[in-house]
Amino acid sequence: MADAYSILYIVLIGLAAGVLASLVVPTGLDLLGAIVVGIIGAAIGFYLFPALGARVTGDPTVASIITATVGAILLLVVLRLVRR
């Protein structure tokens, strides 16, 4: 089971990724929406990067934010296409 620090880390990475993704793909997300998009985007990014043979090296926190942001951007683009 994840401890409180792990959950806080996941939420903060999700928040950062969601906010960055919403700057790239404007959606008007509120704080909770940004966190949810960021966390789902992180799952997408952490699945897709190894499947595509891509890696982000360097500081693990920065790498996590980059990977989660790319996944969140993909999620927002797909959601925007589905809504049309």
Side-chain angles (χ1 to χ4, degrees):
M1 177 119 195
D3 61 357
Y5 292 114
S6 296
I7 293 170
L8 180 62
Y9 181 79
I10 291 168
V11 169
L12 291 176
I13 295 294
L15 173 62
V19 168
L20 290 172
S22 66
L23 291 174
V24 175
V25 181
T27 58
L29 293 173
D30 61 353
L31 186 64
L32 182 60
I35 292 171
V36 171
V37 165
I39 292 172
I40 295 171
I44 292 168
F46 284 106
Y47 173 77
L48 282 181
F49 269 57
L52 297 173
R55 284 179 37 161
V56 179
T57 58
D59 180 35
T61 302
V62 174
S64 296
I65 291 171
I66 291 169
T67 304
T69 301
V70 170
I73 290 169
L74 290 173
L75 174 64
L76 291 175
V77 168
V78 168
L79 288 175
R80 185 172 271 192
L81 290 173
V82 169
R83 287 184 186 170
R84 288 186 176 182

